Amino acid sequence: MFHWLEKNPFLFAVGVFLTVAFAGVVSILPSFAQTSRPVIGTTPYSTLELAGRQVYIKNSCNACHSQLVRPFKAETDRYGHYSLSGEYAYDRPFLWGSKRTGPDLMRVGNYRTTEWHENHMMNPAAIVPNSIMPGYAWMFKNIADIDTAYAEQLTVAGVFGVPYNKPVPMADGSTKTIKMGKTVEDARALALAEAKLVAADMKNQDVKDMVKNGKIPEIVALIAYLNSLK
Amino acid sequence: MNKLYLGAIVVTALMLFATYVSFDFKHGSSDIVNQLAILGAVILVIATIFVVVKYVRQMQTDTASGDLMEDNWDGVGEYDNPVPTGWAIVFLGTMIWGMWYYLVGYPVNSYSQIGEYNEDAAALNKKFEEKYKNLKGDELVNMGESVYLSNCSACHGLSADGIDGQAADLNVRLEKKVVKHVIENGSSNNLVSEGMSMPDRNGLFNANTNALITDAEIDSVASYVANGFKGNEAGAKVFAGTCAACHGADGKGMEFVAPNIASFDSSLVVNVVANGKKGAIGTMPKITVLNKKQKEAVAAYVQSISK
């Protein structure tokens, strides 16, 4: 019956490939699409938060801190709800990490504040005795790279359709819109406005003065990013 | 007896000997699991040799017979023999089992990590509740201390002194700067009930002078409150004329109206832990990972250290 097919090995191979590939597509893609969809309440990063995320990556925070709460009672008691894959929908790349020298930071925005981070990043041992985390004093002087963060926003909005300037559904039924500037000047202004909110809660006068003068130190961007981790 | 049977006997003997040597009779022979294992190993050796010999014999002696099928591939054909019964039963059985597994077995009984977590968490929560249902007194304080150390000490410090003003000093009920801040700015922390917020200084009348509270009065009443409601006569008068209406003459507060400012009471601490607060020192986030008993325990601990 299938002699004609068996006599055409190439055609047969193509047919086998198509059959197996189709089976793979229908069984893998739907569940992949389902789990990679953003969880309700997950919002894209603002320009300042993205700049802070770059500071986080630049200083290799992910070498010692994970961002992945596993579904174990001991972890959820300490860090909050276990992580869902959809919560990483806007993380490019994700920063799960593979080693916890320090605590997990997946939901650090829920239980630490701007003031705490400010004191802690300057000298961790002063806040947490026996902490082996080094101080990051240079973050209070270095200027955050807002332009690159804006370039990243433009890229992910264009290539992956990240919903900037569009209402994103929140857990309580409301919506939230994360703004992205039309031009780089716009983006700088937006980032500065957000930085001013963060700096208002800070105590370091140098940082406050810098933000007042339109400069955003790395620490402000980093704190904005850490506060967004919820 | 040909060479094949001889070889089979030699191999069987060797394998049984190896099994015997590798099995530690001195220490393990009394254990039923070990006995079953050695029995299994012996059966496996004999069965393997038996099956191998049977098929090798068959290859040596068997000749092909029966009708060839129509199809042949470059002269290589296939006999049109019926399917062996045993094989057919296993084949059909596998298909039926496959259907069952696909439709019922896997979906109904499947393992999931989250399922295991939910079961674990429910069991542990239940155990916690039963074990600590009647926790009181010192034991509650002890639990509070460990909860405090793991959840609160990062900001309030190991000795609860607030680490040089970075968080509230819990060894005292209120610091002077906090009292002043609240009088000047009011408080919308709703510490006793929804919607009950304290007005700022433009809403605070001093009944003694029949005028808004003044800077000097704020300073003296703040010292009075921070000093544990003693010393300072002038402050006591301002307190009686301005604050006592809501906070009570002794500062112990009133239910649904104003919080206790003389000491930490349990409901106040539980409320702050559950909802967080924003005040003179900064923002305290709400702590969501604690259960009810743990919050009460923290309250008991804070009460115990603030005496």
Side-chain angles (χ1 to χ4, degrees), chain A residues 152-199:
Chain A
E152 191 181 340
Q153 273 186 312
L154 277 182
T155 310
V156 294
V159 178
F160 302 109
V162 170
Y164 285 111
N165 297 327
K166 286 176 197 158
V168 177
M170 301 301 288
D172 59 4
S174 62
T175 57
K176 195 173 173 185
T177 305
I178 305 294
K179 283 190 222 154
M180 178 178 74
K182 279 210 179 64
T183 61
V184 69
E185 281 80 19
D186 262 8
R188 284 179 197 151
L190 279 172
L192 189 62
E194 210 188 326
K196 278 180 177 157
L197 292 178
V198 176

Side-chain angles (χ1 to χ4, degrees), chain A residues 1 3 6 71-73 76-80 82 109-113 115-116 119 126-129 201 203, chain B residues 71 73 113-114 117-118 120-121 124-125 151 153-155 158 163 166 278 281-289:
Chain A
M1 186 162 70
H3 262 185
E6 285 164 3
F72 302 137
K73 182 82 163 73
T76 55
D77 273 0
R78 182 170 178 187
Y79 302 118
Y82 52 80
N110 282 338
Y111 49 87
R112 294 284 184 266
T113 58
E115 301 98 312
W116 190 87
N119 294 321
I127 308 297
V128 183
D201 284 338
K203 300 223 161 65
Chain B
D71 286 337
W73 294 267
Q113 202 181 15
I114 299 304
Y117 166 76
N118 288 339
D120 261 16
L124 287 167
N125 285 340
N151 288 283
S153 66
C155 299
L158 292 173
I163 318 182
Q166 284 163 23
K278 192 167 168 51
I281 300 164
T283 309
M284 167 168 163
K286 58 182 171 189
I287 309 296
T288 51
V289 293

Side-chain angles (χ1 to χ4, degrees), chain B residues 62-82:
Chain B
D62 232 17
T63 47
S65 63
D67 300 328
L68 279 172
M69 282 170 83
E70 262 177 54
D71 286 337
N72 75 74
W73 294 267
D74 302 330
V76 179
E78 196 182 350
Y79 288 117
D80 195 8
N81 289 336

Side-chain angles (χ1 to χ4, degrees), chain B residues 250-273:
Chain B
D250 53 2
K252 292 236 158 87
M254 273 183 225
E255 212 180 345
F256 303 120
V257 178
N260 186 342
I261 53 172
S263 60
F264 287 105
D265 57 22
S266 184
S267 64
L268 178 85
V269 179
V270 169
N271 209 329
V272 172
V273 170

Side-chain angles (χ1 to χ4, degrees), chain B residues 80-253:
Chain B
D80 195 8
N81 289 336
V83 176
T85 320
W87 188 90
I89 290 170
V90 172
F91 181 65
L92 286 174
T94 313
M95 282 172 82
I96 292 166
W97 178 84
M99 287 289 180
W100 171 84
Y101 185 73
Y102 185 73
L103 296 173
V104 180
Y106 184 74
V108 176
N109 305 314
S110 66
Y111 170 84
S112 96
Q113 202 181 15
I114 299 304
E116 185 182 353
Y117 166 76
N118 288 339
E119 280 169 14
D120 261 16
L124 287 167
N125 285 340
K126 202 173 156 217
K127 196 173 151 198
F128 181 95
E129 256 172 44
E130 273 165 17
K131 190 169 177 190
Y132 299 118
K133 198 161 63 182
N134 298 313
L135 201 63
K136 281 198 197 80
D138 281 353
E139 289 188 322
L140 192 64
V141 172
N142 285 344
M143 178 196 269
E145 183 172 11
S146 62
V147 174
Y148 176 88
L149 289 175
S150 51
N151 288 283
C152 317
S153 66
C155 299
H156 290 283
L158 292 173
S159 54
D161 59 356
I163 318 182
D164 297 336
Q166 284 163 23
D169 181 350
L170 299 177
N171 296 300
V172 295
R173 171 65 184 92
L174 286 166
E175 291 165 82
K176 187 175 173 183
K177 68 165 184 175
V178 175
V179 184
K180 280 177 95 165
H181 179 89
V182 173
I183 295 176
E184 273 163 16
N185 301 296
S187 162
S188 53
N189 284 312
N190 301 335
L191 293 179
V192 274
S193 69
E194 271 307 297
M196 282 305 298
S197 33
M198 174 170 158
D200 63 13
R201 60 182 298 171
N202 296 320
L204 294 174
F205 273 93
N206 186 342
N208 301 331
T209 58
N210 238 341
L212 281 175
I213 194 164
T214 64
D215 280 341
E217 284 167 354
I218 290 176
D219 195 67
S220 66
V221 79
S223 314
Y224 174 71
V225 171
N227 197 28
F229 294 83
K230 41 184 193 287
N232 195 336
E233 274 302 306
K237 270 190 194 150
V238 179
F239 188 85
T242 309
C243 319
C246 293
H247 288 286
D250 53 2
K252 292 236 158 87

Side-chain angles (χ1 to χ4, degrees), chain A residues 7 17-18 31 35 38 48 72 85 106 109 122 130 143-144 158 177-178 200 213-214 220:
Chain A
K7 282 175 184 164
F17 173 77
L18 285 180
S31 72
T35 49
L48 187 64
F72 302 137
S85 58
M106 177 79 193
M122 187 57 110
N130 300 332
I143 302 299
T177 305
I178 305 294
N213 296 330
V220 174

Side-chain angles (χ1 to χ4, degrees), chain A residues 10-26:
Chain A
F10 181 74
L11 188 64
F12 191 58
V14 170
V16 166
F17 173 77
L18 285 180
T19 310
V20 174
F22 176 75
V25 165
V26 296

Side-chain angles (χ1 to χ4, degrees), chain A residues 51 55 58 138-146 210-211 214-219 221:
Chain A
V55 176
K58 188 165 97 179
W138 58 86
M139 286 185 188
F140 291 74
K141 298 201 174 66
N142 289 2
I143 302 299
D145 190 350
I146 301 298
M210 280 168 97
V211 175
K215 286 180 190 158
I216 304 175
E218 284 181 337
I219 187 72

